[in-house]
Coordinates of all heavy atoms in Angstrom, one line a residue:
P1 N 175.9 99.0 104.8 CA 175.2 100.2 105.1 C 173.8 100.2 104.4 O 173.7 99.6 103.3 CB 176.1 101.3 104.5 CG 177.4 100.7 104.4 CD 177.2 99.2 104.2
R2 N 172.9 100.8 105.0 CA 171.5 100.8 104.5 C 171.4 101.5 103.2 O 171.9 102.6 103.0 CB 170.6 101.5 105.6 CG 169.2 101.4 105.2 CD 168.3 102.0 106.2 NE 167.0 102.3 105.7 CZ 166.0 102.7 106.4 NH1 166.1 102.9 107.7 NH2 164.8 102.8 105.8
T3 N 170.7 100.9 102.3 CA 170.4 101.5 101.0 C 168.9 101.4 100.7 O 168.2 100.6 101.2 CB 171.2 100.8 99.8 OG1 170.9 99.4 99.8 CG2 172.7 101.1 100.0
L4 N 168.5 102.3 99.9 CA 167.0 102.4 99.5 C 166.9 102.4 98.0 O 167.8 102.5 97.3 CB 166.4 103.7 100.1 CG 166.5 103.9 101.6 CD1 166.1 105.3 102.0 CD2 165.8 102.9 102.4
L5 N 165.6 102.2 97.6 CA 165.3 102.3 96.2 C 164.5 103.5 95.8 O 163.7 104.0 96.6 CB 164.5 101.0 95.8 CG 165.2 99.7 95.7 CD1 164.2 98.6 95.4 CD2 166.2 99.7 94.6
L6 N 164.8 104.1 94.7 CA 164.0 105.2 94.1 C 163.6 104.7 92.7 O 164.4 104.4 91.9 CB 164.9 106.4 94.0 CG 164.3 107.6 93.3 CD1 163.2 108.2 94.2 CD2 165.3 108.7 93.0
V7 N 162.2 104.6 92.6 CA 161.7 104.1 91.3 C 160.8 105.2 90.7 O 159.9 105.7 91.3 CB 160.8 102.8 91.6 CG1 160.3 102.3 90.3 CG2 161.7 101.8 92.3
R8 N 161.1 105.5 89.4 CA 160.3 106.4 88.6 C 159.7 105.7 87.5 O 160.3 105.0 86.7 CB 161.2 107.5 88.1 CG 161.7 108.5 89.1 CD 162.2 109.8 88.5 NE 162.6 110.7 89.6 CZ 163.8 110.9 90.1 NH1 164.8 110.2 89.6 NH2 164.0 111.7 91.1
F9 N 158.4 106.0 87.3 CA 157.6 105.4 86.2 C 157.5 106.4 85.1 O 157.6 107.7 85.4 CB 156.2 105.1 86.7 CG 156.1 103.8 87.6 CD1 156.5 103.9 88.9 CD2 155.7 102.6 87.0 CE1 156.5 102.7 89.7 CE2 155.6 101.5 87.8 CZ 156.0 101.5 89.1
P10 N 157.2 106.0 83.9 CA 157.2 106.9 82.7 C 156.0 108.0 82.9 O 156.2 109.1 82.4 CB 156.9 106.0 81.5 CG 157.4 104.7 81.9 CD 157.2 104.6 83.4
D11 N 155.0 107.7 83.7 CA 153.9 108.6 83.9 C 154.3 109.7 84.9 O 153.4 110.6 85.2 CB 152.6 107.9 84.3 CG 152.7 107.3 85.7 OD1 153.7 107.4 86.4 OD2 151.7 106.7 86.1
G12 N 155.5 109.7 85.4 CA 155.9 110.7 86.4 C 155.8 110.2 87.9 O 156.3 110.9 88.8
T13 N 155.2 109.1 88.1 CA 155.0 108.6 89.5 C 156.4 108.2 90.0 O 157.2 107.6 89.3 CB 154.1 107.4 89.5 OG1 152.8 107.7 89.0 CG2 154.0 106.8 90.9
T14 N 156.7 108.7 91.2 CA 157.9 108.3 91.9 C 157.6 107.5 93.2 O 156.7 108.0 93.9 CB 158.8 109.5 92.2 OG1 159.1 110.2 91.0 CG2 160.1 109.1 93.0
I15 N 158.2 106.4 93.4 CA 158.0 105.6 94.6 C 159.3 105.6 95.3 O 160.4 105.1 94.8 CB 157.5 104.2 94.3 CG1 156.1 104.3 93.6 CG2 157.3 103.4 95.6 CD1 155.5 103.0 93.2
Y16 N 159.3 106.1 96.6 CA 160.5 106.1 97.4 C 160.1 106.0 98.9 O 159.7 107.0 99.5 CB 161.2 107.5 97.1 CG 162.5 107.7 98.0 CD1 163.6 106.9 97.8 CD2 162.5 108.8 98.9 CE1 164.8 107.2 98.5 CE2 163.7 109.0 99.6 CZ 164.8 108.2 99.4 OH 165.9 108.4 100.1
E17 N 160.1 104.8 99.4 CA 159.7 104.6 100.8 C 160.8 104.5 101.7 O 162.0 104.5 101.3 CB 158.9 103.2 100.8 CG 157.7 103.2 99.9 CD 156.6 104.1 100.3 OE1 156.5 104.4 101.5 OE2 155.7 104.4 99.4
Q18 N 160.6 104.4 103.0 CA 161.6 104.4 104.0 C 162.4 103.1 104.0 O 163.5 103.0 104.6 CB 161.0 104.6 105.4 CG 160.3 106.0 105.4 CD 160.7 106.8 106.6 OE1 161.4 106.3 107.5 NE2 160.3 108.0 106.6
K19 N 161.8 102.0 103.4 CA 162.5 100.8 103.3 C 162.5 100.3 101.9 O 161.5 100.5 101.2 CB 161.9 99.7 104.2 CG 162.0 100.0 105.7 CD 161.6 98.8 106.6 CE 160.3 98.2 106.2 NZ 159.8 97.2 107.2
A20 N 163.6 99.7 101.4 CA 163.7 99.2 100.0 C 162.6 98.2 99.7 O 162.0 98.2 98.7 CB 165.1 98.7 99.7
S21 N 162.3 97.4 100.7 CA 161.3 96.3 100.5 C 159.9 97.0 100.3 O 159.1 96.5 99.5 CB 161.2 95.4 101.7 OG 161.0 96.1 102.9
D22 N 159.6 98.1 101.0 CA 158.3 98.7 100.8 C 158.3 99.4 99.4 O 157.2 99.4 98.7 CB 158.1 99.8 101.8 CG 157.8 99.2 103.2 OD1 157.4 98.0 103.3 OD2 158.0 99.9 104.2
T23 N 159.4 100.0 98.9 CA 159.4 100.6 97.6 C 159.3 99.5 96.6 O 158.5 99.7 95.6 CB 160.8 101.3 97.4 OG1 160.9 102.4 98.4 CG2 160.9 101.9 96.0
F24 N 159.9 98.4 96.8 CA 159.9 97.2 95.8 C 158.4 96.8 95.7 O 157.9 96.6 94.6 CB 160.8 96.1 96.4 CG 160.9 94.9 95.5 CD1 161.5 95.0 94.3 CD2 160.3 93.7 95.9 CE1 161.7 93.8 93.5 CE2 160.5 92.6 95.1 CZ 161.1 92.6 93.9
A25 N 157.8 96.5 96.9 CA 156.4 96.0 96.8 C 155.4 97.0 96.2 O 154.6 96.6 95.4 CB 156.0 95.6 98.3
A26 N 155.6 98.2 96.6 CA 154.7 99.3 96.0 C 154.9 99.4 94.5 O 153.9 99.6 93.8 CB 154.9 100.6 96.7
S27 N 156.1 99.3 94.1 CA 156.4 99.4 92.6 C 155.7 98.2 91.9 O 155.1 98.4 90.8 CB 157.9 99.4 92.4 OG 158.5 100.5 93.0
L28 N 155.9 97.0 92.4 CA 155.2 95.8 91.8 C 153.7 95.9 91.8 O 153.1 95.6 90.8 CB 155.7 94.5 92.5 CG 157.1 94.2 92.5 CD1 157.4 92.8 93.1 CD2 157.7 94.2 91.1
E29 N 153.2 96.5 92.9 CA 151.7 96.7 92.9 C 151.3 97.7 91.8 O 150.3 97.5 91.2 CB 151.3 97.3 94.3 CG 149.8 97.3 94.5 CD 149.5 97.7 96.0 OE1 150.3 98.2 96.7 OE2 148.3 97.4 96.3
K30 N 152.0 98.8 91.6 CA 151.7 99.7 90.6 C 151.8 99.1 89.2 O 150.9 99.3 88.3 CB 152.5 101.0 90.6 CG 152.2 102.0 89.5 CD 152.8 103.3 89.8 CE 152.6 104.3 88.6 NZ 151.2 104.4 88.1
I31 N 152.8 98.2 89.0 CA 153.0 97.5 87.7 C 151.8 96.6 87.5 O 151.3 96.4 86.4 CB 154.3 96.8 87.7 CG1 155.5 97.7 87.6 CG2 154.4 95.8 86.5 CD1 156.8 97.1 87.9
G32 N 151.4 95.9 88.6 CA 150.3 95.0 88.5 C 150.8 93.6 89.1 O 151.6 93.0 88.4
L33 N 150.4 93.3 90.3 CA 150.9 92.1 90.9 C 150.6 90.8 90.1 O 151.4 89.9 90.0 CB 150.4 91.9 92.3 CG 150.9 93.0 93.3 CD1 150.1 93.1 94.6 CD2 152.4 92.8 93.5
N34 N 149.4 90.8 89.5 CA 149.0 89.7 88.6 C 149.9 89.5 87.4 O 150.4 88.4 87.1 CB 147.5 89.8 88.2 CG 147.1 88.5 87.5 OD1 147.3 87.4 88.0 ND2 146.3 88.7 86.4
R35 N 150.3 90.7 86.8 CA 151.2 90.7 85.6 C 152.5 90.1 86.0 O 153.1 89.3 85.3 CB 151.3 92.1 85.1 CG 150.1 92.6 84.4 CD 150.3 94.1 84.0 NE 151.3 94.1 82.9 CZ 152.0 95.2 82.5 NH1 151.8 96.3 83.2 NH2 152.8 95.2 81.5
V36 N 153.0 90.6 87.2 CA 154.4 90.2 87.7 C 154.3 88.7 88.0 O 155.3 87.9 87.7 CB 154.8 91.1 88.8 CG1 156.2 90.6 89.4 CG2 155.0 92.5 88.4
A37 N 153.3 88.3 88.7 CA 153.2 86.8 89.1 C 153.2 85.9 87.9 O 153.9 84.9 87.9 CB 151.9 86.6 89.9
K38 N 152.6 86.4 86.8 CA 152.6 85.5 85.5 C 154.0 85.4 84.9 O 154.2 84.4 84.2 CB 151.7 86.2 84.5 CG 150.2 86.0 84.9 CD 149.3 86.6 83.8 CE 147.8 86.5 84.2 NZ 146.9 87.2 83.3
L39 N 154.9 86.2 85.3 CA 156.3 86.1 84.8 C 157.0 84.9 85.4 O 157.9 84.3 84.8 CB 157.1 87.3 85.1 CG 156.7 88.6 84.4 CD1 157.5 89.8 84.9 CD2 156.8 88.5 82.9
G40 N 156.5 84.4 86.5 CA 157.1 83.2 87.2 C 158.5 83.4 87.7 O 159.2 82.4 87.8
M41 N 158.8 84.6 88.0 CA 160.2 84.9 88.6 C 160.3 84.3 90.0 O 159.4 84.3 90.7 CB 160.5 86.4 88.6 CG 160.6 87.0 87.2 SD 160.8 88.8 87.2 CE 162.3 89.0 88.0
K42 N 161.5 83.9 90.3 CA 161.8 83.3 91.6 C 162.8 84.1 92.4 O 163.7 84.8 91.8 CB 162.4 81.9 91.4 CG 161.6 80.9 90.6 CD 160.6 80.3 91.4 CE 159.9 79.2 90.6 NZ 158.6 78.8 91.3
V43 N 162.7 84.0 93.7 CA 163.7 84.6 94.6 C 163.9 83.6 95.7 O 162.9 83.1 96.3 CB 163.3 86.0 95.1 CG1 162.0 86.0 95.9 CG2 164.4 86.6 95.9
N44 N 165.1 83.2 96.0 CA 165.4 82.2 97.0 C 164.5 80.9 96.8 O 163.9 80.4 97.7 CB 165.2 82.7 98.4 CG 166.1 83.8 98.7 OD1 167.3 83.8 98.3 ND2 165.7 84.9 99.4
K45 N 164.3 80.5 95.5 CA 163.6 79.3 95.1 C 162.1 79.4 95.4 O 161.4 78.4 95.4 CB 164.2 78.1 95.8 CG 165.6 77.8 95.4 CD 166.1 76.5 95.9 CE 167.6 76.3 95.5 NZ 168.1 75.1 96.0
E46 N 161.6 80.6 95.6 CA 160.1 80.7 95.8 C 159.7 81.8 94.7 O 160.4 82.6 94.3 CB 159.8 81.3 97.2 CG 160.1 80.2 98.2 CD 159.7 80.7 99.6 OE1 159.7 81.9 99.9 OE2 159.4 79.8 100.4

């Protein structure tokens, strides 16, 4: 069954899109894509 993400930031910003992938990407963008990229995290070997 379809599930979604609800993300709350300490500054009160809430991100809740119609697709979990959009919420995920928007949340990473707010955190800072460059900061996240520097962590070197992998998903499916990428």
Side-chain angles (χ1 to χ4, degrees):
R2 182 177 168 174
T3 55
L4 302 173
L5 286 173
L6 175 68
V7 181
R8 287 198 175 94
F9 285 78
D11 68 1
T13 301
T14 299
I15 300 177
Y16 178 66
E17 301 293 337
Q18 301 230 349
K19 295 191 310 189
S21 59
D22 290 340
T23 301
F24 183 70
S27 299
L28 295 186
E29 188 172 19
K30 179 164 174 53
I31 292 167
L33 293 167
N34 188 43
R35 290 176 70 200
V36 176
K38 286 180 182 177
L39 294 174
M41 292 175 64
K42 303 278 188 195
V43 62
N44 297 320
K45 297 186 180 179
E46 294 186 330

